[in-house]
Amino acid sequence: MDINNIIARDFPTVTQGIIQVGIQLIFEQEWGVGKDQLARSILQLSRGSLKKFKDLMEITDPRDILMEAQAEPGDIRNLYGNN
């Protein structure tokens, strides 16, 4: 599923612009991991919560986020294209 569709599905309209800016920042920086996978993992773990999204965006080691997302059940990961 397209990242913009995930944002539209999961987040209230009033917060979608903030989420899109945050995701854009992920794609503009170098993380040493796949940017698409990192963005999807953050969206997956946020579950539509702006507060959780902001907390996750304070990335110190992106591998921790990827590991946490991969530990979730496959049906949840599939919703985010994060297999």
Side-chain angles (χ1 to χ4, degrees):
M1 177 175 270
D2 177 61
I3 287 178
N4 289 322
N5 291 337
I6 293 170
I7 293 170
R9 179 191 70 199
D10 286 5
F11 291 89
T13 305
V14 296
T15 63
Q16 289 177 12
I18 297 167
I19 303 302
Q20 289 171 335
V21 169
I23 294 300
Q24 186 61 40
L25 291 173
I26 289 171
F27 284 102
E28 291 174 357
Q29 297 180 28
E30 189 54 52
W31 298 100
V33 298
K35 295 174 185 181
D36 191 66
Q37 185 181 14
L38 179 58
R40 290 175 183 278
S41 295
I42 288 173
L43 292 171
Q44 173 185 324
L45 295 171
S46 296
R47 297 277 204 302
S49 165
L50 179 59
K51 180 186 179 334
K52 183 71 173 168
F53 180 83
K54 287 180 177 180
D55 290 345
L56 289 164
M57 287 298 292
E58 295 179 12
I59 301 168
T60 53
D61 188 342
R63 296 171 296 178
D64 293 337
I65 292 171
L66 298 181
M67 288 176 44
E68 185 177 345
Q70 286 300 311
E72 293 198 316
D75 58 332
I76 293 173
R77 291 193 320 267
N78 287 338
L79 286 173
Y80 295 86
N82 205 10
N83 317 356

